Amino acid sequence: MVLLKKTIRRYHRLGSAAPLRLHAGGGREINPPFRLEPGMEARVGEATIIYSSDGVVRACDLYGCFEAFTGGEASVEVRPLPGIHRLKKFSPFIYIELAKSLYARPGSHYWVWVPVDLEVSIGSSVLGVISPVQVKYTLVGDVLGGTVCRHYRSEAYTGPRKPPAGLALLGVRVKSKSDAILPGIGFNALKSPLYRDSEGNLYYSLVEAEIEDERLTVKVQEKPPLQGLVQVYRPRQGALAMVQQLQPFTASLPSPL
Amino acid sequence: MASNATGILPISLGSIGVEATRIAATIAILVVGILFAVIVRLGMRRSLSQKMPPHVYKPLENFTFYGLLILAGILALYPLGLDLTSLIVAGGFTGLVLGLAAQNALGNLVSGLFLLAEQPIRVGDPASVAGVSGIVADINILSTVIRTWDGVLVRIPNNRVFNEIITNYYRTSARRVEILIGVHYNTDIDHALAVVKKLMEDHPYCLVNPSPEVFVEEYADSSINLRARCWAPPQVWFATKVELQTRLKKVLEEAGIEIPYPQLDLHLRSAEARVAVELVEERESLKGAGEG
């Protein structure tokens, strides 16, 4: 298979949710959404998607691969999903452990990096989901009544710092009456649409963190954190039918020493 | 006579006609009621199964279905001239008789209702009930069906389920995986602990919090025994345990850490002297045998 290099031709414009089209192979690292034609390949973080010229799609992440034979007739689309689908969907929540505890002041705005998953599909048929980063889970709450959340460890930033491919930016607005120390931020990722900016960076919806009586409640605002972003993923209504799926993230904050 | 005969006949026919109408009405109510209950049950199954997990919609479906059947049964008695108050009075006596006759069935029914209300186990839960372990396949009004790990369906009367100890492996957010491994006495303990801990930290299902832990369990005869613990979601507990156990030997070997066989060191005191005595004795006995 002949692979050409530096081949991304972006014929999308800001304002269009159409996937990027990788012109011909190359394996260059980019963020989804994008489209692959036979003979092309792409890499997003630790995930690779190879669409061979004989019509076989092979997508791999750190935990396995899946293959499908398409006959080479259709193009393969890779779209971003909230990072709760791979390896297993235990709950709709993602918990971002902050590398350094955050001193959160009322009205302040912070940014963290959050993993996304990649949905590989042809037309309306989903071939599978892969993860561009290592998958870990954590328990928020106690062993009996807590919630298992997808886990990621990130620094907190005061501005939207460009993340590596496979990670999206999450804007957190602190909405509380008093300041607090936050060890991490959790949110309901299933409710969150995903957005993309002109440079291909991905964003989750803006979330609001309310701290009251040493309890953190994070609500997804379902609106872009910045102006001028294009929506590239919208939560499916069927997936939101279950009661738990609609609930905001809540957790007790650790008691002061 | 004729007039009498003709007089009696219409009355009899009339009463038969009235009775037939009432019976027909009763049967019609029962049939319509049963059909209605079945349609409602199918409708609920079709609409709710997409939106709710089985443990939520199954009890709802059962309650509605059996409730409609009981309602249809009560309504079907009205055309026969029986009203609910007389039924309740009669029901006291009937209930006593039925209760004695069908004690087990009623016990199962009541236990089934309690089980549906309390839900100590749900359809789809891995559980152990009355010594039977497996996945709960169904919870009916009279019995609970468990599919054992080797795929056999076991029906347990609800009465028994209600009175036995139930172990539900899903009704927790996390379950602990434990592995005991022995390493050679020559092993650098800190290195071994670090290798085992990293294995668990790299495993996707070993939760970050509560964090994995490894410690020296005991200094055994042939090995230093390490105990490794991590918490995993109950849905993947078994897979996590099996994977960790499988990979543990490999990572220890890669790190140059030996898993020892059971061994016994024998120390003989003044062995050389004893061997020399034995040799002399053996030589003398051979010599004696040769002379003889």
Side-chain angles (χ1 to χ4, degrees):
Chain A
M1 186 174 63
V2 179
L3 297 173
L4 303 175
K5 293 183 178 176
K6 293 187 179 178
T7 52
I8 300 172
R9 190 183 71 185
R10 293 184 184 179
Y11 70 91
H12 79 294
R13 294 194 183 94
L14 195 60
S16 157
L20 297 171
R21 184 181 289 268
L22 290 184
H23 190 49
R28 182 172 163 178
E29 196 169 77
I30 59 162
N31 260 333
F34 54 82
R35 189 174 290 152
L36 293 173
E37 302 294 344
M40 303 196 317
E41 68 176 63
R43 183 162 54 87
V44 186
E46 303 286 350
T48 54
I49 307 106
I50 300 168
Y51 193 7
S52 65
S53 48
D54 53 359
V56 176
V57 184
R58 181 179 168 83
C60 296
D61 63 9
L62 290 170
Y63 307 100
C65 298
F66 62 83
E67 284 186 327
F69 177 65
T70 68
E73 297 295 320
S75 54
V76 169
E77 290 187 0
V78 180
R79 295 181 179 279
L81 285 179
I84 49 173
H85 297 82
R86 184 85 168 130
L87 295 166
K88 207 170 173 63
K89 198 161 113 186
F90 294 111
S91 80
F93 301 109
I94 299 179
Y95 183 79
I96 304 300
E97 180 190 345
L98 298 171
K100 301 172 196 73
S101 292
L102 175 68
Y103 171 63
R105 286 170 289 105
S108 56
H109 199 139
Y110 301 97
W111 295 85
V112 291
W113 293 349
V114 182
V116 292
D117 286 340
L118 309 176
E119 181 187 79
V120 183
S121 60
I122 298 181
S124 59
S125 303
V126 177
L127 299 176
V129 177
I130 49 177
S131 172
V133 294
Q134 189 189 17
V135 176
K136 284 296 283 181
Y137 297 93
T138 190
L139 181 68
V140 176
D142 67 285
V143 168
L144 276 181
T147 306
V148 173
C149 306
R150 172 82 188 265
H151 174 272
Y152 191 75
R153 190 177 156 90
S154 166
E155 296 281 351
Y157 306 102
T158 49
R161 185 179 291 194
K162 184 180 177 64
L167 294 173
L169 284 153
L170 175 74
V172 183
R173 186 190 293 155
V174 180
K175 190 185 166 190
S176 57
K177 288 174 185 165
S178 60
D179 51 2
I181 302 290
L182 294 182
I185 291 281
F187 70 104
N188 188 331
L190 197 67
K191 286 178 70 180
S192 177
L194 292 172
Y195 307 91
R196 185 189 64 200
D197 66 11
S198 57
E199 294 175 7
N201 296 318
L202 294 170
Y203 295 81
Y204 278 90
S205 283
L206 181 71
V207 298
E208 277 188 354
E210 289 180 32
I211 303 146
E212 199 171 332
D213 299 332
E214 293 180 1
R215 187 155 192 85
L216 169 71
T217 303
V218 182
K219 290 178 182 163
V220 176
Q221 295 302 302
E222 296 180 47
K223 63 183 181 187
L226 295 171
Q227 287 186 337
L229 301 180
V230 180
Q231 188 170 323
V232 290
Y233 167 79
R234 189 174 57 198
R236 294 167 187 125
Q237 287 306 309
L240 296 177
M242 291 192 190
V243 177
Q244 193 211 3
Q245 317 284 36
L246 296 168
Q247 288 175 349
F249 176 88
T250 55
S252 297
L253 292 174
S255 306
L257 294 172
Chain B
M1 284 295 281
S3 66
N4 272 350
T6 50
I8 292 166
L9 192 64
I11 292 167
S12 303
L13 281 175
S15 69
I16 289 167
V18 169
E19 293 303 325
T21 313
R22 285 179 176 181
I23 290 167
T26 300
I27 292 170
I29 289 170
L30 278 176
V31 169
V32 169
I34 291 167
L35 275 176
F36 182 66
V38 168
I39 289 167
V40 168
R41 183 185 211 177
L42 287 175
M44 284 181 78
R45 189 174 296 175
R46 201 165 290 173
S47 60
L48 298 182
S49 63
Q50 305 294 326
K51 298 170 187 169
M52 294 179 177
H55 67 266
V56 178
Y57 83 79
K58 275 261 180 186
L60 271 177
E61 183 191 304
N62 280 340
F63 269 126
T64 311
F65 179 70
Y66 291 110
L68 286 173
L69 284 188
I70 290 167
L71 190 67
I74 292 168
L75 287 176
L77 295 174
Y78 275 98
L80 297 176
L82 291 168
D83 63 0
L84 199 57
T85 46
S86 61
L87 195 71
I88 289 167
V89 174
F93 179 70
T94 315
L96 189 68
V97 174
L98 279 176
L100 288 170
Q103 199 175 2
N104 279 339
L106 284 175
N108 285 328
L109 180 79
V110 172
S111 299
L113 290 173
F114 279 126
L115 284 173
L116 288 173
E118 191 193 340
Q119 297 196 335
I121 44 173
R122 296 166 172 176
V123 174
D125 284 358
S128 181
V129 180
V132 180
S133 289
I135 304 281
V136 179
D138 204 358
I139 302 172
N140 294 314
I141 209 83
L142 291 176
S143 64
T144 296
V145 181
I146 290 188
R147 182 175 59 75
T148 59
W149 303 122
D150 52 349
V152 179
L153 283 182
V154 180
R155 177 191 174 277
I156 309 171
N158 280 338
N159 202 3
R160 184 103 189 267
V161 176
F162 193 68
N163 290 312
E164 290 280 342
I165 291 173
I166 297 174
T167 309
N168 190 324
Y169 300 108
Y170 258 25
R171 286 293 187 87
T172 177
S173 299
R175 239 185 116 185
R176 197 168 69 186
V177 175
E178 281 202 8
I179 298 171
L180 189 67
I181 183 89
V183 295
H184 198 277
Y185 268 94
N186 293 339
T187 306
D188 175 353
I189 291 288
D190 290 336
H191 180 49
L193 294 176
V195 166
V196 178
K197 189 161 188 184
K198 185 165 188 320
L199 169 72
M200 293 191 290
E201 284 171 347
D202 288 346
H203 195 283
Y205 291 141
C206 274
L207 299 177
V208 175
N209 176 51
S211 57
E213 54 183 357
V214 197
F215 54 90
V216 175
E217 169 88 0
E218 68 168 330
Y219 292 96
D221 293 340
S222 308
S223 61
I224 303 172
N225 290 346
L226 308 181
R227 188 171 290 277
R229 287 175 178 167
C230 85
W231 292 79
Q235 299 92 326
V236 291
W237 177 85
F238 185 70
T240 308
K241 187 177 174 73
V242 168
E243 262 180 52
L244 285 176
Q245 272 181 332
T246 309
R247 286 167 62 181
L248 188 55
K249 181 173 183 289
K250 198 178 166 192
V251 295
L252 287 176
E253 279 175 356
E254 283 171 358
I257 297 167
E258 189 185 341
I259 302 172
Y261 294 108
Q263 52 191 265
L264 188 64
D265 290 349
L266 288 176
H267 299 277
L268 299 176
R269 287 176 189 271
S270 49
E272 285 180 14
R274 196 176 301 155
V275 169
V277 170
E278 284 174 359
L279 281 173
V280 168
E281 285 174 356
E282 194 176 338
R283 202 177 299 143
E284 284 177 352
S285 66
L286 285 171
K287 199 174 172 183
E291 286 170 356

PDB file of all heavy atoms in Angstrom, chain A residues 232-252:
ATOM      1  N   VAL A 232     -20.169  19.199  16.317  1.00  0.00           N
ATOM      2  CA  VAL A 232     -19.821  17.998  15.550  1.00  0.00           C
ATOM      3  C   VAL A 232     -20.419  16.731  16.136  1.00  0.00           C
ATOM      4  O   VAL A 232     -20.301  15.665  15.567  1.00  0.00           O
ATOM      5  CB  VAL A 232     -18.288  17.835  15.412  1.00  0.00           C
ATOM      6  CG1 VAL A 232     -17.714  18.886  14.498  1.00  0.00           C
ATOM      7  CG2 VAL A 232     -17.614  17.867  16.780  1.00  0.00           C
ATOM      8  N   TYR A 233     -21.030  16.831  17.302  1.00  0.00           N
ATOM      9  CA  TYR A 233     -21.724  15.671  17.892  1.00  0.00           C
ATOM     10  C   TYR A 233     -22.902  16.179  18.710  1.00  0.00           C
ATOM     11  O   TYR A 233     -22.769  17.131  19.489  1.00  0.00           O
ATOM     12  CB  TYR A 233     -20.789  14.867  18.801  1.00  0.00           C
ATOM     13  CG  TYR A 233     -21.529  13.860  19.658  1.00  0.00           C
ATOM     14  CD1 TYR A 233     -21.958  12.644  19.116  1.00  0.00           C
ATOM     15  CD2 TYR A 233     -21.848  14.133  20.989  1.00  0.00           C
ATOM     16  CE1 TYR A 233     -22.671  11.739  19.890  1.00  0.00           C
ATOM     17  CE2 TYR A 233     -22.553  13.228  21.768  1.00  0.00           C
ATOM     18  CZ  TYR A 233     -22.963  12.041  21.210  1.00  0.00           C
ATOM     19  OH  TYR A 233     -23.677  11.149  21.972  1.00  0.00           O
ATOM     20  N   ARG A 234     -24.032  15.551  18.496  1.00  0.00           N
ATOM     21  CA  ARG A 234     -25.226  15.908  19.271  1.00  0.00           C
ATOM     22  C   ARG A 234     -25.705  14.654  19.994  1.00  0.00           C
ATOM     23  O   ARG A 234     -25.810  13.585  19.375  1.00  0.00           O
ATOM     24  CB  ARG A 234     -26.314  16.414  18.320  1.00  0.00           C
ATOM     25  CG  ARG A 234     -27.511  17.014  19.048  1.00  0.00           C
ATOM     26  CD  ARG A 234     -28.483  17.624  18.081  1.00  0.00           C
ATOM     27  NE  ARG A 234     -28.931  16.647  17.098  1.00  0.00           N
ATOM     28  CZ  ARG A 234     -29.508  16.940  15.941  1.00  0.00           C
ATOM     29  NH1 ARG A 234     -29.681  18.196  15.600  1.00  0.00           N
ATOM     30  NH2 ARG A 234     -29.906  16.005  15.117  1.00  0.00           N
ATOM     31  N   PRO A 235     -25.987  14.752  21.315  1.00  0.00           N
ATOM     32  CA  PRO A 235     -26.443  13.548  22.037  1.00  0.00           C
ATOM     33  C   PRO A 235     -27.719  12.991  21.417  1.00  0.00           C
ATOM     34  O   PRO A 235     -28.599  13.748  21.037  1.00  0.00           O
ATOM     35  CB  PRO A 235     -26.712  14.053  23.454  1.00  0.00           C
ATOM     36  CG  PRO A 235     -25.986  15.328  23.556  1.00  0.00           C
ATOM     37  CD  PRO A 235     -25.927  15.917  22.185  1.00  0.00           C
ATOM     38  N   ARG A 236     -27.766  11.658  21.336  1.00  0.00           N
ATOM     39  CA  ARG A 236     -28.960  11.020  20.768  1.00  0.00           C
ATOM     40  C   ARG A 236     -30.054  10.977  21.819  1.00  0.00           C
ATOM     41  O   ARG A 236     -29.793  10.630  22.969  1.00  0.00           O
ATOM     42  CB  ARG A 236     -28.609   9.617  20.291  1.00  0.00           C
ATOM     43  CG  ARG A 236     -27.651   9.661  19.132  1.00  0.00           C
ATOM     44  CD  ARG A 236     -27.040   8.299  18.845  1.00  0.00           C
ATOM     45  NE  ARG A 236     -25.998   8.448  17.834  1.00  0.00           N
ATOM     46  CZ  ARG A 236     -24.757   8.050  17.989  1.00  0.00           C
ATOM     47  NH1 ARG A 236     -24.375   7.466  19.094  1.00  0.00           N
ATOM     48  NH2 ARG A 236     -23.874   8.224  17.029  1.00  0.00           N
ATOM     49  N   GLN A 237     -31.253  11.295  21.427  1.00  0.00           N
ATOM     50  CA  GLN A 237     -32.360  11.377  22.388  1.00  0.00           C
ATOM     51  C   GLN A 237     -32.639  10.029  23.045  1.00  0.00           C
ATOM     52  O   GLN A 237     -32.960   9.961  24.207  1.00  0.00           O
ATOM     53  CB  GLN A 237     -33.624  11.894  21.701  1.00  0.00           C
ATOM     54  CG  GLN A 237     -33.544  13.381  21.377  1.00  0.00           C
ATOM     55  CD  GLN A 237     -33.205  14.239  22.592  1.00  0.00           C
ATOM     56  OE1 GLN A 237     -33.836  14.139  23.639  1.00  0.00           O
ATOM     57  NE2 GLN A 237     -32.169  15.068  22.457  1.00  0.00           N
ATOM     58  N   GLY A 238     -32.523   8.951  22.266  1.00  0.00           N
ATOM     59  CA  GLY A 238     -32.781   7.615  22.809  1.00  0.00           C
ATOM     60  C   GLY A 238     -31.862   7.303  23.971  1.00  0.00           C
ATOM     61  O   GLY A 238     -32.248   6.670  24.941  1.00  0.00           O
ATOM     62  N   ALA A 239     -30.627   7.774  23.855  1.00  0.00           N
ATOM     63  CA  ALA A 239     -29.636   7.487  24.888  1.00  0.00           C
ATOM     64  C   ALA A 239     -29.936   8.252  26.171  1.00  0.00           C
ATOM     65  O   ALA A 239     -29.461   7.900  27.234  1.00  0.00           O
ATOM     66  CB  ALA A 239     -28.246   7.851  24.385  1.00  0.00           C
ATOM     67  N   LEU A 240     -30.722   9.303  26.072  1.00  0.00           N
ATOM     68  CA  LEU A 240     -30.986  10.137  27.243  1.00  0.00           C
ATOM     69  C   LEU A 240     -32.255   9.722  27.979  1.00  0.00           C
ATOM     70  O   LEU A 240     -32.663  10.370  28.926  1.00  0.00           O
ATOM     71  CB  LEU A 240     -31.125  11.608  26.809  1.00  0.00           C
ATOM     72  CG  LEU A 240     -29.881  12.233  26.211  1.00  0.00           C
ATOM     73  CD1 LEU A 240     -30.176  13.647  25.757  1.00  0.00           C
ATOM     74  CD2 LEU A 240     -28.748  12.257  27.217  1.00  0.00           C
ATOM     75  N   ALA A 241     -32.876   8.650  27.524  1.00  0.00           N
ATOM     76  CA  ALA A 241     -34.181   8.293  28.075  1.00  0.00           C
ATOM     77  C   ALA A 241     -34.097   7.846  29.530  1.00  0.00           C
ATOM     78  O   ALA A 241     -35.007   8.087  30.310  1.00  0.00           O
ATOM     79  CB  ALA A 241     -34.808   7.188  27.238  1.00  0.00           C
ATOM     80  N   MET A 242     -33.014   7.192  29.921  1.00  0.00           N
ATOM     81  CA  MET A 242     -32.937   6.673  31.284  1.00  0.00           C
ATOM     82  C   MET A 242     -32.692   7.805  32.278  1.00  0.00           C
ATOM     83  O   MET A 242     -31.976   8.748  31.993  1.00  0.00           O
ATOM     84  CB  MET A 242     -31.838   5.632  31.380  1.00  0.00           C
ATOM     85  CG  MET A 242     -32.198   4.380  30.622  1.00  0.00           C
ATOM     86  SD  MET A 242     -31.090   3.049  31.000  1.00  0.00           S
ATOM     87  CE  MET A 242     -31.595   1.898  29.754  1.00  0.00           C
ATOM     88  N   VAL A 243     -33.261   7.616  33.444  1.00  0.00           N
ATOM     89  CA  VAL A 243     -33.260   8.702  34.420  1.00  0.00           C
ATOM     90  C   VAL A 243     -31.844   9.094  34.822  1.00  0.00           C
ATOM     91  O   VAL A 243     -31.489  10.264  34.840  1.00  0.00           O
ATOM     92  CB  VAL A 243     -34.062   8.268  35.671  1.00  0.00           C
ATOM     93  CG1 VAL A 243     -34.024   9.347  36.731  1.00  0.00           C
ATOM     94  CG2 VAL A 243     -35.505   7.987  35.274  1.00  0.00           C
ATOM     95  N   GLN A 244     -30.998   8.067  35.097  1.00  0.00           N
ATOM     96  CA  GLN A 244     -29.652   8.370  35.579  1.00  0.00           C
ATOM     97  C   GLN A 244     -28.862   9.176  34.552  1.00  0.00           C
ATOM     98  O   GLN A 244     -28.019   9.986  34.909  1.00  0.00           O
ATOM     99  CB  GLN A 244     -28.904   7.074  35.899  1.00  0.00           C
ATOM    100  CG  GLN A 244     -27.635   7.323  36.692  1.00  0.00           C
ATOM    101  CD  GLN A 244     -26.560   6.311  36.392  1.00  0.00           C
ATOM    102  OE1 GLN A 244     -26.709   5.442  35.556  1.00  0.00           O
ATOM    103  NE2 GLN A 244     -25.444   6.441  37.079  1.00  0.00           N
ATOM    104  N   GLN A 245     -29.185   8.933  33.291  1.00  0.00           N
ATOM    105  CA  GLN A 245     -28.414   9.577  32.235  1.00  0.00           C
ATOM    106  C   GLN A 245     -28.600  11.092  32.239  1.00  0.00           C
ATOM    107  O   GLN A 245     -27.811  11.823  31.688  1.00  0.00           O
ATOM    108  CB  GLN A 245     -28.844   9.035  30.865  1.00  0.00           C
ATOM    109  CG  GLN A 245     -29.038   7.537  30.816  1.00  0.00           C
ATOM    110  CD  GLN A 245     -27.742   6.782  30.774  1.00  0.00           C
ATOM    111  OE1 GLN A 245     -26.771   7.180  31.392  1.00  0.00           O
ATOM    112  NE2 GLN A 245     -27.718   5.696  30.044  1.00  0.00           N
ATOM    113  N   LEU A 246     -29.691  11.564  32.847  1.00  0.00           N
ATOM    114  CA  LEU A 246     -29.987  12.986  32.809  1.00  0.00           C
ATOM    115  C   LEU A 246     -29.462  13.743  34.024  1.00  0.00           C
ATOM    116  O   LEU A 246     -29.483  14.956  34.050  1.00  0.00           O
ATOM    117  CB  LEU A 246     -31.515  13.180  32.721  1.00  0.00           C
ATOM    118  CG  LEU A 246     -32.155  12.645  31.446  1.00  0.00           C
ATOM    119  CD1 LEU A 246     -33.655  12.605  31.583  1.00  0.00           C
ATOM    120  CD2 LEU A 246     -31.767  13.511  30.269  1.00  0.00           C
ATOM    121  N   GLN A 247     -28.997  12.994  35.023  1.00  0.00           N
ATOM    122  CA  GLN A 247     -28.654  13.655  36.274  1.00  0.00           C
ATOM    123  C   GLN A 247     -27.320  14.389  36.184  1.00  0.00           C
ATOM    124  O   GLN A 247     -26.409  13.936  35.497  1.00  0.00           O
ATOM    125  CB  GLN A 247     -28.598  12.624  37.397  1.00  0.00           C
ATOM    126  CG  GLN A 247     -29.990  12.144  37.758  1.00  0.00           C
ATOM    127  CD  GLN A 247     -29.971  11.037  38.778  1.00  0.00           C
ATOM    128  OE1 GLN A 247     -28.923  10.482  39.079  1.00  0.00           O
ATOM    129  NE2 GLN A 247     -31.130  10.724  39.294  1.00  0.00           N
ATOM    130  N   PRO A 248     -27.209  15.518  36.923  1.00  0.00           N
ATOM    131  CA  PRO A 248     -25.914  16.200  36.961  1.00  0.00           C
ATOM    132  C   PRO A 248     -24.943  15.435  37.839  1.00  0.00           C
ATOM    133  O   PRO A 248     -25.345  14.589  38.636  1.00  0.00           O
ATOM    134  CB  PRO A 248     -26.260  17.552  37.571  1.00  0.00           C
ATOM    135  CG  PRO A 248     -27.481  17.315  38.376  1.00  0.00           C
ATOM    136  CD  PRO A 248     -28.238  16.210  37.699  1.00  0.00           C
ATOM    137  N   PHE A 249     -23.668  15.749  37.702  1.00  0.00           N
ATOM    138  CA  PHE A 249     -22.638  15.100  38.529  1.00  0.00           C
ATOM    139  C   PHE A 249     -22.658  15.739  39.910  1.00  0.00           C
ATOM    140  O   PHE A 249     -22.664  16.957  40.036  1.00  0.00           O
ATOM    141  CB  PHE A 249     -21.274  15.288  37.880  1.00  0.00           C
ATOM    142  CG  PHE A 249     -20.144  14.747  38.707  1.00  0.00           C
ATOM    143  CD1 PHE A 249     -19.747  13.436  38.581  1.00  0.00           C
ATOM    144  CD2 PHE A 249     -19.501  15.561  39.629  1.00  0.00           C
ATOM    145  CE1 PHE A 249     -18.712  12.939  39.353  1.00  0.00           C
ATOM    146  CE2 PHE A 249     -18.470  15.062  40.398  1.00  0.00           C
ATOM    147  CZ  PHE A 249     -18.079  13.747  40.246  1.00  0.00           C
ATOM    148  N   THR A 250     -22.665  14.919  40.952  1.00  0.00           N
ATOM    149  CA  THR A 250     -22.562  15.445  42.315  1.00  0.00           C
ATOM    150  C   THR A 250     -21.539  14.621  43.091  1.00  0.00           C
ATOM    151  O   THR A 250     -21.421  13.421  42.879  1.00  0.00           O
ATOM    152  CB  THR A 250     -23.903  15.370  43.075  1.00  0.00           C
ATOM    153  OG1 THR A 250     -24.366  14.033  43.040  1.00  0.00           O
ATOM    154  CG2 THR A 250     -24.945  16.287  42.492  1.00  0.00           C
ATOM    155  N   ALA A 251     -20.813  15.295  43.948  1.00  0.00           N
ATOM    156  CA  ALA A 251     -19.824  14.597  44.779  1.00  0.00           C
ATOM    157  C   ALA A 251     -19.529  15.432  46.009  1.00  0.00           C
ATOM    158  O   ALA A 251     -19.627  16.662  45.976  1.00  0.00           O
ATOM    159  CB  ALA A 251     -18.539  14.367  43.988  1.00  0.00           C
ATOM    160  N   SER A 252     -19.196  14.734  47.093  1.00  0.00           N
ATOM    161  CA  SER A 252     -18.788  15.443  48.304  1.00  0.00           C
ATOM    162  C   SER A 252     -17.338  15.865  48.162  1.00  0.00           C
ATOM    163  O   SER A 252     -16.516  15.097  47.645  1.00  0.00           O
ATOM    164  CB  SER A 252     -18.921  14.531  49.521  1.00  0.00           C
ATOM    165  OG  SER A 252     -20.265  14.182  49.690  1.00  0.00           O
TER     166      SER A 252
END
